[in-house]
Amino acid sequence: MGRAPLTSGSSLELFEIDLDRALDLIRKSGARIVGVQVPEGLKRTAYDLTKEIEEKTNAEVIVSGDPCYGACDVDLELCRTADLVIHVGHSEMLEGDRLHDKVIYIEARMRADVKEAVEKAAGLLSARRVGVVTTVQHLHRMDEIVDVLEKRGVEAMVRPGGKRTRRPGQVLGCNYEAARNMDVEEYLFVGTGQFHPLGVALATGKRTVAADPVTGNVSVIDTVPMLKRRYGAIARAIDAEKIAVLVSKKPGQKRMDLARKVADLGREHGKKMVLVYLDRVEPEVLINLGADAAVCTACPRIALDDLAKYTVPVLTPPEFEVLLGMRKGDYILDEIE
Amino acid sequence: MGRAPLTSGSSLELFEIDLDRALDLIRKSGARIVGVQVPEGLKRTAYDLTKEIEEKTNAEVIVSGDPCYGACDVDLELCRTADLVIHVGHSEMLEGDRLHDKVIYIEARMRADVKEAVEKAAGLLSARRVGVVTTVQHLHRMDEIVDVLEKRGVEAMVRPGGKRTRRPGQVLGCNYEAARNMDVEEYLFVGTGQFHPLGVALATGKRTVAADPVTGNVSVIDTVPMLKRRYGAIARAIDAEKIAVLVSKKPGQKRMDLARKVADLGREHGKKMVLVYLDRVEPEVLINLGADAAVCTACPRIALDDLAKYTVPVLTPPEFEVLLGMRKGDYILDEIE
């Protein structure tokens, strides 16, 4: 298979998955049971990946059936059962323990051409010097992005992120280190969706232009609607008495120490706090527990992106400090280091 | 708290939870972190249990936020984090390993009086000798049930189940051993819902009367609608090519060997089989994988009870054998030993 396109589903035509490296490693390791974990948008590749691996190695394949939201979300139960786990679509994040050492990360590179969208976005830039960031799906296009900008006379700056990201210019929904402390007045985000460029704008406080290579849309990010929603959620939590502090079981989202700090802060302010440990945050959890509000120490997108799903306000840890009157000034985006 | 009623929610008024034993064990063990796991119907007790434990011991409490469907569904991640885990509402099922040894099972006894419903049900019995079964919530009423029947001149037989259940007369949605191999022509099931008495009737092939102590309803179980639905699901799976074999991560529902057997059988019959390992079986899993059908080796209720939720047929392992033409004769209910 290698770089040849997988053909059995429309989502596959968008992505290029380099399975050869994984097949090599499976053969060399002598793994007998191989786990396969793919994010939802690529779940349909699981059948083809299984077929390839079972035909080209002697391993039995077990596919992870639970949703997967990132490299933070490695299926540890699968790691306990399999000898090796192929994790598709995300770049390595965690390392060092016995279970994570079983994981092979295979990127899924989006085939979408970026040039046209970046050309178009360049027309919206107001600075001569911009920070460039993108997500793992488009990282292999970074040279092209820089090239297009330089040809338009824009100085494109790319800097490495922290330990949570692997490559210069890479941002995650929960980490914008690659966009921080840069001597620029403006950012260009290349990728799909509104969440990441909003994150760049909120994390840096700078003007951010977004270029979507799939739709071809470009825009200047407006943080005001999101900020209105967030301060609205904080206001709705004012009278909350019973507050659930959500802690994720997902290895890269687990912030138990932060959750304890949040619970202690709440108790000092007379709130009834309870630590809730869970794999998936869902509205039913809060309804069934009878919580008046929640503070989510798991993936920051849960509070910011899924607001409408919940019947009670779900705040990020920095927003909870605003609620308690402990934090004033600019809005602080929740990030995971 | 002990046997005194918890008062902060309507579901609590129905149940009696003996927390004193747990508090004693927590104190004696010196546990510093105590996990609390309760089924959905009792989730609202979590706040009160947390408060009681934190006030009466020196332990910190962490509540399991994921749904809990039985003693098969012990939160192992919570066991990894806590020193002790209080599991409410189910009787002990699994034992022997390091993680399960941390679990203290606290039954939630339903306050509902059973006498009236059993009196009423006795009028529907046609035999003079009946097997009596119930669920964990009503087991403490078994003597009363037997008493009512004996007074009506009915010989009430109660036999122990297998290793999956703890007490004579106890059945689970996945195990009817306490109703098998009895020299009776008829069964009385005491408890809520239709699933368990349907299971008794299907597992034994005998006439089954159900008495619901909460609603007061009594009925003779009709298995025909369920059987029609099941053979309908089998028929709809006839042309399925891609078949997902679902294996649960839940400790008491994990049947990996059976799943491998099912996958091998399917492949021998020309089907494309893939093993899927997951915590929660949900319609999106099968849609995202692009499966034409599934065989569920997890909780049997998923296939039997949730049929309408799924866009593709989900079969039990014995039903899959019917599909492949390998099993004729009476319908065999899927049970977990």
Side-chain angles (χ1 to χ4, degrees):
Chain A
M1 186 157 63
R3 297 286 170 95
L6 288 164
T7 54
S8 68
S10 61
S11 66
L12 294 173
E13 287 155 23
L14 274 173
F15 287 92
E16 196 176 284
I17 299 173
D18 178 10
L19 192 62
D20 286 344
R21 188 168 70 89
L23 291 174
D24 264 2
L25 287 165
I26 294 168
R27 285 192 207 99
K28 280 180 191 149
S29 71
R32 297 177 61 177
I33 304 177
V34 172
V36 168
Q37 190 180 21
V38 286
E40 297 320 282
L42 289 169
K43 221 52 160 203
R44 230 160 244 262
T45 59
Y47 259 101
D48 290 317
L49 295 175
T50 299
K51 195 163 165 272
E52 287 286 319
I53 295 169
E54 291 194 332
E55 280 178 12
K56 296 190 177 162
T57 74
N58 290 317
E60 172 193 52
V61 172
I62 301 176
V63 173
S64 173
D66 291 316
C68 173
Y69 297 109
C72 54
D73 196 3
V74 166
D75 187 337
L76 294 184
E77 268 310 301
L78 187 59
C79 292
R80 289 188 181 94
T81 296
D83 302 315
L84 265 188
V85 171
I86 311 291
H87 183 105
V88 178
H90 305 120
S91 62
E92 188 170 356
M93 176 183 288
L94 307 151
E95 57 186 6
D97 71 24
R98 192 178 51 82
L99 290 175
H100 282 108
D101 286 350
K102 289 186 175 181
V103 183
I104 299 170
Y105 295 83
I106 303 285
E107 292 181 4
R109 299 168 167 201
M110 208 176 248
R111 292 178 198 281
D113 180 51
V114 295
K115 282 183 194 157
E116 205 176 319
V118 175
E119 286 276 4
K120 212 165 140 190
L124 294 180
L125 293 171
S126 56
R128 302 314 299 161
R129 196 179 151 83
V130 302
V132 179
V133 286
T134 183
T135 54
V136 64
Q137 294 88 345
H138 307 285
L139 270 175
H140 60 294
R141 304 285 196 197
M142 191 54 104
D143 289 348
E144 288 174 51
I145 298 169
V146 169
D147 225 45
V148 171
L149 293 175
E150 302 277 345
K151 276 186 185 142
R152 302 267 305 218
V154 176
E155 198 182 343
M157 311 293 290
V158 181
R159 64 151 274 195
K163 59 183 181 201
R164 204 165 168 84
T165 53
R166 289 283 138 172
R167 300 215 250 141
Q170 186 186 359
V171 292
L172 301 169
C174 58
N175 187 287
Y176 296 90
E177 212 159 320
R180 225 187 307 277
N181 302 326
M182 288 175 87
D183 182 22
V184 298
E185 278 314 303
E186 192 170 26
Y187 287 90
L188 173 65
F189 168 81
V190 180
T192 56
Q194 288 291 296
F195 188 78
H196 290 89
L198 252 170
V200 174
L202 290 169
T204 63
K206 302 273 173 73
R207 189 171 187 268
T208 302
V209 172
D212 185 328
V214 176
T215 63
N217 292 340
V218 299
S219 59
V220 180
I221 294 301
D222 179 8
T223 58
V224 173
M226 170 69 94
L227 290 174
K228 278 188 181 166
R229 285 197 297 275
R230 299 320 304 161
Y231 284 102
I234 295 169
R236 283 194 293 126
I238 287 279
D239 295 323
E241 208 181 304
K242 288 186 183 177
I243 299 177
V245 185
L246 309 177
V247 187
S248 179
K249 292 177 183 174
K250 298 186 194 296
Q253 296 184 18
K254 191 188 294 190
R255 294 189 283 178
M256 189 63 91
D257 291 342
L258 175 62
R260 287 186 170 122
K261 210 183 112 194
V262 165
D264 287 344
L265 278 181
R267 286 190 193 110
E268 284 164 21
H269 286 77
K271 306 287 188 188
K272 291 183 187 164
M273 309 300 285
V274 63
L275 288 175
V276 180
Y277 195 40
L278 76 186
D279 183 53
R280 273 195 254 172
V281 181
E282 284 175 347
E284 293 71 27
V285 175
L286 301 177
I287 293 168
N288 290 343
L289 282 170
D292 303 320
V295 181
C296 182
T297 67
C299 173
R301 290 191 77 152
I302 293 165
L304 304 182
D305 234 12
D306 298 343
L307 179 74
K309 272 173 55 177
Y310 294 89
T311 53
V312 297
V314 179
L315 306 184
T316 66
E319 289 170 354
F320 186 59
E321 293 183 9
V322 175
L323 177 77
L324 299 182
M326 302 173 63
R327 186 187 281 282
K328 309 258 184 249
D330 286 346
Y331 179 85
I332 301 294
L333 186 71
D334 182 30
E335 293 185 58
I336 305 182
E337 273 177 17
Chain B
M1 185 158 63
R3 297 287 171 95
L6 288 164
T7 52
S8 67
S10 61
S11 67
L12 294 173
E13 287 154 25
L14 274 172
F15 288 92
E16 195 174 284
I17 298 173
D18 179 11
L19 193 61
D20 286 344
R21 189 169 70 87
L23 291 174
D24 264 1
L25 287 165
I26 293 167
R27 284 189 209 101
K28 279 179 193 152
S29 71
R32 297 178 60 178
I33 304 178
V34 172
V36 168
Q37 190 181 21
V38 287
E40 296 320 285
L42 289 170
K43 220 55 159 201
R44 231 160 244 262
T45 59
Y47 260 100
D48 291 317
L49 295 175
T50 299
K51 193 162 166 275
E52 286 287 318
I53 295 169
E54 291 193 333
E55 281 178 11
K56 296 190 176 162
T57 74
N58 290 317
E60 172 191 52
V61 172
I62 301 177
V63 173
S64 173
D66 291 315
C68 173
Y69 297 109
C72 55
D73 197 4
V74 167
D75 187 337
L76 294 185
E77 268 309 302
L78 187 59
C79 291
R80 288 188 181 97
T81 297
D83 301 316
L84 265 188
V85 170
I86 311 291
H87 183 107
V88 178
H90 305 121
S91 63
E92 187 169 355
M93 176 183 287
L94 306 150
E95 56 187 6
D97 70 25
R98 191 180 51 83
L99 289 175
H100 282 108
D101 285 350
K102 288 186 176 181
V103 183
I104 298 170
Y105 294 83
I106 303 285
E107 291 180 6
R109 300 168 166 202
M110 207 176 250
R111 291 178 198 280
D113 179 51
V114 295
K115 281 183 195 158
E116 205 176 318
V118 175
E119 286 276 5
K120 210 164 141 193
L124 293 179
L125 293 171
S126 57
R128 302 315 299 161
R129 195 178 152 83
V130 302
V132 180
V133 285
T134 184
T135 53
V136 64
Q137 295 87 347
H138 308 283
L139 270 174
H140 60 293
R141 305 285 197 198
M142 190 54 103
D143 289 349
E144 289 175 50
I145 298 169
V146 169
D147 225 47
V148 172
L149 292 175
E150 303 275 345
K151 276 185 186 142
R152 301 270 304 220
V154 175
E155 197 180 343
M157 311 293 289
V158 181
R159 65 152 273 198
K163 59 183 180 201
R164 205 167 167 83
T165 52
R166 291 283 138 173
R167 300 215 249 142
Q170 185 186 0
V171 291
L172 301 169
C174 58
N175 189 286
Y176 297 91
E177 212 159 320
R180 225 186 305 276
N181 303 325
M182 289 175 87
D183 182 23
V184 299
E185 278 314 303
E186 193 170 24
Y187 288 89
L188 173 66
F189 168 83
V190 180
T192 56
Q194 288 291 296
F195 189 79
H196 290 89
L198 252 170
V200 174
L202 289 169
T204 64
K206 302 274 173 73
R207 188 172 187 271
T208 302
V209 172
D212 185 329
V214 176
T215 64
N217 292 340
V218 300
S219 60
V220 181
I221 294 301
D222 180 6
T223 59
V224 173
M226 169 70 93
L227 290 174
K228 278 189 181 166
R229 284 197 297 275
R230 299 319 303 160
Y231 284 102
I234 295 169
R236 283 194 293 124
I238 287 280
D239 295 323
E241 211 182 302
K242 289 185 183 176
I243 299 176
V245 185
L246 309 177
V247 187
S248 179
K249 293 177 183 172
K250 297 184 194 299
Q253 296 184 18
K254 191 188 293 190
R255 294 189 282 178
M256 188 63 90
D257 291 342
L258 176 61
R260 289 188 168 120
K261 210 182 112 195
V262 166
D264 287 343
L265 279 180
R267 286 190 193 111
E268 284 165 21
H269 286 77
K271 305 287 190 189
K272 291 183 187 165
M273 309 298 287
V274 63
L275 289 175
V276 180
Y277 195 42
L278 74 188
D279 183 56
R280 273 195 254 171
V281 181
E282 284 175 348
E284 293 71 29
V285 175
L286 302 177
I287 293 167
N288 290 343
L289 282 171
D292 303 320
V295 182
C296 181
T297 67
C299 173
R301 289 191 78 153
I302 292 165
L304 304 181
D305 234 12
D306 298 343
L307 179 73
K309 270 173 56 177
Y310 293 89
T311 54
V312 298
V314 179
L315 306 183
T316 67
E319 289 171 353
F320 186 58
E321 293 183 7
V322 175
L323 177 77
L324 299 181
M326 301 173 62
R327 186 187 283 280
K328 310 257 182 247
D330 286 347
Y331 179 86
I332 301 294
L333 185 72
D334 182 31
E335 293 185 58
I336 305 181
E337 271 178 18

